[in-house]
């Protein structure tokens, strides 16, 4: 579709030569007669952001208003008398009325308050995409009419131009590709029906549509096949930009640069070209790797030199620099990105959230080093106006990036800048990556210093992860923390002794250090957290060794018998009393939960219940689904399946989320306790629907917040086979095809092996023959390659309520082969 430039040269002043000089002035809207139409006041900010679009819209609407002053006159007199020269078809009049509706789109009407005389701005309810769709439907009725050629002649040029203009400037989120197809179709229809569009502004929009649709070669064909050596075109600046972009896309970079130099040297373009010519050249050169960074820097300097002109406002400058930064980011040119940003800030121009968003995407990418991140950060905070744009989340992003790049020193500098910022919101969770870095590196002293400043200087409540990482940093630290004269140094030294003793399973020394802290009135949530964390590890090690029938005669430290366990738990009663006596208003809930887990592992249900009651009744802390998940796992390991099921029942009552690891531990404990039906009940709650042996109508409206994984399926299927519940095992395996995104071959092997071990070789062979092909068909493409690795995809969050395979007589999402 479309026409070459020589086909539209019938207008006055246009030569027949393909690259002849074309005077754009005859096509500009400001040279056409303007009629005084209905002018509406718009938002000043909107005018700044869309000046060109509004000027073109107002010009075209004014022309339509002059020709058709009243919308009622457009649709009046439906008689299609062909003898009347000015008579237009009803479809044409409907199209004119539809495009005139753009006059009310995205404007802000000015309302004058009669009492004060002040002007108030109020937005309209018109929707530009909806108006564009309505106008396009009217246009399609014309093109599909039997007399389309005659009707196309009746459409005013201003109506065609306004429709193309609005499609061109429509937001990127609204049918991004189809709107350009519409522009190309309108251009082709006009040429086909003998009324080519003469405006070079519209020609530039048409070329842009071709470029956006990947028709760069067609752009060159529309303008001319080759550039003569002695003559260059004089197109409208918008059309020239599209021509330069098409040359870059067609690997004609030299031609593109020749056109760019022509635009820069021609006196005509010095008055009419827009600054987007620079971004077009930079984008094309970076995309084709045609220019070195040194040459690109020269172009950028020319751009900034033009930006200093007073006719350009901050919104124009921001749009251009963001476009350059985005181009440098997607093509990985960090040198260009840093140069553009540094030079932009050197001119004292402001940035906006979009600029920060581009920079944050850069620093969060994996192909950037710490030096480049530090350079970006220093440029941001060095400029006063730019630094004020920083928020707590932006500081947190830089902290996380510096930690990932193993630069905790730079992360600490960011923390100091965040504290000095007047507006940035501070939160303890922003520092979690830094504490994690200290924990992995065993940097106990910096972790303690940052913890104290967080509590005392920032007045923030540390998260449980921060407590845990401080204890972990002290456990791994090789540098001993000596006692000093201050309270902090004395308490830190005793805390370090407590943690080191706990890591060595020296219970007496650990409890002695805690008693020393209490006697000096230095106990704190941190010391209690350290005590219960280490106590949990010590008791957990004993429980694990006991279940594995370990020979305790070879152990010299830690707990070696039930008597020693009872003595250790009894001495922890003092810590519980200190926990209850804490005066802190915001004691972390996880501290109580961890204390409960300690006594659950030690099978002291009375003390665990006491702490739980204190947490919920005295402290008024409401247990969350994370709390119940932790308690469920602890009860499954310590007090056994019956107590764990009690916690699970409370989760069911409150409709709380069940994690995969919690469900797997509960199922494992219930199967070991010979309670397979309750294991199926846990599975049913996990996937959010009833099982063949559990009828629960309430599951029908259950929204799944997590999904069963393949390990839980393997554990449950193997346990059901061992419990001689073969029918239920088949049903659960069948259900895996709808719950999992794909069923691994290992799950089928686990099922078959369990049946063989149970003496059901015939049944195992039947299952293998039935499901082998279906399992192979469910494999992702990557897993079918014997060299590649299987990559699991997450299962859907919302599952249909009653599908459990063919045994229940229900229709399967994936029918059996």
């Amino acid at each position: 579709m479309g026409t070459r430039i020589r086909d539209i040269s019938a207008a006055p002043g246009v030569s027949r030569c393909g690259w002849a000089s074309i005077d754009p002035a005859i096509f500009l809207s400001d040279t056409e007669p303007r009629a005084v139409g209905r002018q509406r006041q718009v938002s000043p900010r909107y005018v700044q952001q869309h000046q060109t679009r509004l000027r073109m819209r107002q010009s075209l609407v004014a022309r339509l208003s002059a020709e058709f002053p009243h919308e009622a006159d457009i649709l009046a007199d439906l008689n299609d008398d062909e003898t009347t020269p000015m008579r237009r078809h009803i479809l044409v009049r409907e199209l004119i009325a539809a495009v005139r509706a753009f006059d009310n789109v995205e404007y802000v009407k000015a309302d004058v308050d009669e009492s004060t005389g002040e002007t108030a701005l109020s937005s309209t309810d018109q929707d530009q995409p909806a108006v564009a769709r309505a106008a396009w439907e009217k246009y399609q009725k014309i093109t599909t009419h039997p007399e389309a050629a005659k009707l196309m002649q009746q459409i005013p040029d201003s109506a065609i131009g306004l429709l193309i203009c609005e499609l061109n400037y429509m937001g990127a989120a609204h049918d991004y590709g189809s709107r350009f197809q519409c522009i190309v179709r309108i251009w082709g229809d006009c040429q086909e029906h003998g009324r080519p569009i003469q405006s070079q502004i519209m020609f530039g929009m048409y070329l842009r549509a071709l470029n956006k649709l990947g028709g760069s070669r067609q752009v060159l064909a529309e303008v001319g096949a080759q550039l003569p050596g002695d003559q260059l075109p004089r197109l409208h600046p918008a059309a020239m930009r599209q021509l330069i972009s098409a040359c870059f896309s067609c690997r004609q970079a030299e031609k593109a640069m020749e056109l760019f130099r022509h635009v820069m040297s021609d006196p005509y373009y010095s008055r009419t070209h827009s600054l987007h010519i620079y971004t077009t050249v930079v984008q094309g050169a970076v995309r084709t790797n045609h220019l070195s960074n040194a040459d690109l820097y020269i172009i950028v300097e020319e751009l900034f030199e033009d930006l200093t002109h007073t006719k350009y406002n901050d919104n124009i400058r921001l749009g251009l620099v963001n476009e350059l930064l985005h181009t440098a980011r997607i093509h990985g040119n960090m040198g260009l990105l840093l140069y553009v940003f540094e030079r932009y800030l050197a001119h004292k121009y402001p940035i906006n959230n979009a600029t920060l968003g581009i920079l944050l995407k850069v620093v969060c990418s994996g192909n950037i080093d710490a030096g480049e991140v530090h350079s970006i950060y220093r440029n941001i905070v060095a400029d006063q106006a730019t630094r004020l744009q920083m928020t707590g989340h932006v500081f947190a992003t830089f902290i996380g990036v510096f930690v990932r790049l193993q630069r905790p020193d730079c992360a600490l500098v960011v923390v100091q800048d965040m504290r000095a910022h007047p507006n940035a919101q501070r939160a303890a969770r922003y520092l979690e990556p830094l504490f994690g870095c200290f924990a992995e590196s065993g940097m106990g002293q910096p972790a303690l210093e940052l913890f104290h400043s967080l509590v005392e200087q920032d007045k923030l409540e540390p998260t449980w992860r921060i407590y845990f990482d401080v204890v972990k940093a002290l456990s791994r630290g090789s540098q001993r923390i000596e006692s000093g004269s201050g309270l902090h140094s004395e308490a830190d030294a005793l805390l370090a002794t407590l943690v080191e003793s706990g890591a060595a399973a020296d219970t007496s020394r650990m409890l002695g250090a805690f008693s020393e802290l209490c006697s000096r009135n230095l106990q704190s949530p941190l010391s209690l957290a350290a005590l219960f964390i280490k106590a949990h590890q010590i008791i957990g090690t004993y429980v694990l060794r006991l279940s594995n029938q370990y020979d305790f005669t070879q152990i010299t430290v830690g707990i070696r018998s039930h008597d020693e366990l009872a003595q250790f738990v009894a001495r922890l009663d003092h810590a519980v009393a200190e926990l209850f006596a804490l005066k802190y208003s915001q004691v972390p809930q996880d501290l109580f939960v961890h204390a409960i887990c300690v006594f659950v592992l030690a099978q002291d249900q009375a003390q665990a219940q006491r702490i739980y009651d204190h947490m919920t009744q005295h402290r008024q802390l409401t247990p969350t689904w994370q709390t119940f998940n932790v308690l469920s796992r602890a009860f499954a390991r310590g007090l056994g399946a019956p107590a764990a099921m009690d916690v699970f029942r409370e989760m069911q009552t409150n409709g709380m989320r069940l994690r995969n690891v919690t469900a797997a531990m509960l199922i494992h404990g219930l199967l070991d306790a010979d309670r397979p039906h309750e294991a199926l009940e846990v599975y049913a709650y996990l996937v959010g629907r009833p099982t063949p042996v559990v009828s629960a109508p309430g599951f029908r409206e259950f929204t799944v917040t997590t999904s069963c994984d393949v390990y839980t399926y393997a554990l449950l299927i193997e346990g059901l086979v061992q419990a001689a519940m073969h029918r239920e095992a088949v049903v659960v395996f069948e259900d895996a095809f709808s719950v999992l995104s794909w069923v691994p071959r290992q799950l089928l092997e686990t099922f078959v092996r369990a049946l063989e071990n149970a003496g059901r070789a015939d049944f195992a062979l039947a299952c293998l023959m039935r499901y082998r092909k279906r399992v192979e068909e469910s494999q992702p493409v990557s897993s079918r390659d014997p060299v590649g690795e299987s990559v699991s995809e997450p299962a859907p969050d919302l599952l249909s309520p009653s599908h459990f395979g063919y045994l229940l007589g229900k229709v399967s999402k994936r029918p059996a082969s």
Side-chain angles (χ1 to χ4, degrees), residues 389-433:
Q389 298 285 334
M390 299 278 282
T391 63
H393 293 285
V394 176
F395 283 112
T397 301
F398 278 102
I399 291 172
V401 170
F402 280 125
V403 168
R404 177 172 56 82
L405 297 175
Q406 303 297 319
R407 290 297 303 271
D409 54 334
C410 295
L412 285 173
V413 172
V414 178
V415 172
Q416 297 299 328
D417 291 340
M418 181 174 65
R419 287 172 175 164
H421 196 278
N423 303 321
Q425 182 181 6
R426 295 181 291 275
R429 66 179 184 277
Y430 295 161
L431 305 183
E432 287 182 351

Side-chain angles (χ1 to χ4, degrees), residues 55 72 134 185 287 359 447:
R55 283 199 303 266
R185 179 177 170 182
R287 187 173 66 248
L359 296 175

Side-chain angles (χ1 to χ4, degrees), residues 197-216:
I197 301 174
Q198 303 295 334
S199 170
Q200 275 211 15
I201 296 179
M202 300 302 146
F203 183 60
M205 295 181 183
Y206 168 60
L207 296 184
R208 178 173 183 255
L210 290 177
N211 274 328
K212 292 295 184 180
L213 295 174
S216 302

Side-chain angles (χ1 to χ4, degrees), residues 71 129 158 161 214 365 408 432 495 655 658 676 752 761 781 810:
E71 294 184 9
S158 54
S365 63
E432 287 182 351
L495 179 64
L658 184 65
V752 172
V781 177
K810 294 182 172 60

